[in-house]
Amino acid sequence: MSGKFTVAVAGATGAVGREMLKILEERRFPASTVKALASSRSAGTKLPFGDAELTVAELREDSFDGVDLALFSAGGGTSEKFAPHAVRSGCVVVDNSSAWRMDDRCPLVVPEVNAHALAGHRGIIADPNCSTIQMVLVLHPLRGIAPIRRVVVSSYQAVSGTGQKAVDELERQVRRMFNMEEPEVAVYPHRIAFNCLPHIDVFMENGYTKEEMKMTNETVKIMEDPTIRVTATTVRVPVFYAHSEALNVEFERPVSVAEARDALEKAEGVVVLDDPARNLYPMPKDAAGKDEVFVGRIRRDESCDTALNMWVVGDNIRKGAALNAVQIAECLVRDGLVRVADRRAFLR
Ligand code: 25A
Ligand code: L14
């Protein structure tokens, strides 16, 4: 490793944490040391890091002494509890949980859309929800053509969003069913193999799930536009990696397919894959493992002359979580923002 920053990954043994380590290495993040942290269950576990190995240590309040930058992906409760202690140690936190996203003190960042929001950070920066990230990556270039009034989104989300335990469960259920055995149901309330669940995260009082409300609220914060209305139906499908989304985007005036395609082709982090005559459109099996978000099926909404329909697919573990977090960290380094001005900001 050649760099000047001491970096920690909290939740390093999870689906996202492992990918964070891989991406730090792949992109040659300027780290002098990388610390892998997880729960006491995993202390002592070895994780690959480049040609070397990291030994996992238990995440504790004092884990961040001497650490410059920490990437968290160990669940909301863990972030709530430990991120303030990291900041107190002078460590800047990029947090992948939902714990801090809507906190006014925390920028919520997709670098291609609002890297500028990092400037005033106070120690904790939030990494948005996976479904929100791939959607705003597409909405941002489109709003350059005309203001967006409303988005209707339906998602088709991979099990890896729930962590490694859900990936293992889908695999086990499929194996058992092919052997004519009763599948075991543990992670979700129902079987996910050969099924769809209109249920991601918990139900709220308004009848929506928390995942659906994240898409509504996080989009407004990232795009800094309270006039954009988003309504979502989020669905779990038996796919391992990469989320898909059907978007209906309504603009203030009619926007042509050609204009939209042109804006999306120029957009950073987005690839247009749209040639129905050749059966070319984005699919999760192809987006898995890729850094870009793919968009296709761009077409007029024939029921509304100011709206377009499209299909957006992205790897939920990479751009939806680990890659976006590392990109935020790269922006912090580039802009000289790996510092904490007020170590007590989150302890009050
Ligand atoms: O608490 P919540 O908010 O309900 O979140 C629940 C889970 O959802 C995932 C994440 O699971 C989280 O724990 N999750 C949350 N937000 C997510 C997002 N945006 C998200 N997933 C994707 N995108 P996970 O399995 O991905 O990661 C969990 C990590 O958190 C560590 N952890 C949990 N409680 C902790 C803690 N760390 C510190 N303190 C705590 N109190 C957890 O560590 C893991 O790193 P662990 O020691 O519990 O490790 C669990 C064991 O699981 C096995 N394993 C996990 N991933 C893999 C794997 N084995 C092989 N390959 C893998 N990829 C290992 O045996 C590991 O030791
Ligand atoms: O980042 O798919 O808020 O179960 C938590 C639930 C990510 C997806 C978040 C899932 C999500 C996740």
Side-chain angles (χ1 to χ4, degrees), residues 1 68 113 162 218 226 228 236 252 314 323 340 346:
M1 281 176 266
D68 300 302
V113 179
T162 317
E218 293 180 19
I228 295 183
R236 184 84 59 197
E252 231 170 68
L323 173 63
V340 173
F346 293 93

Side-chain angles (χ1 to χ4, degrees), residues 11 13-16 18 38-39 41-42 59 74-76 96 161-165:
T13 54
V16 174
R18 284 167 192 257
S39 73
R41 306 185 267 287
S42 297
L59 171 59
N96 180 50
T162 317
Q164 187 61 33
K165 58 192 178 301

Side-chain angles (χ1 to χ4, degrees), residues 56-79:
V56 176
E58 182 185 353
L59 171 59
R60 296 176 0 170
E61 287 181 9
D62 63 2
S63 295
F64 303 95
D65 294 347
V67 176
D68 300 302
L69 187 73
L71 306 180
F72 269 68
S73 190
T78 307
S79 294

Side-chain angles (χ1 to χ4, degrees), residues 96 98 101 129-130 157-158 161-162 200-201 211 214 236 243:
N96 180 50
S98 61
R101 290 181 187 147
N129 171 263
C130 36
Q157 299 188 210
T162 317
I200 296 184
D201 210 331
E211 186 78 352
K214 286 179 231 171
R236 184 84 59 197
H243 291 351

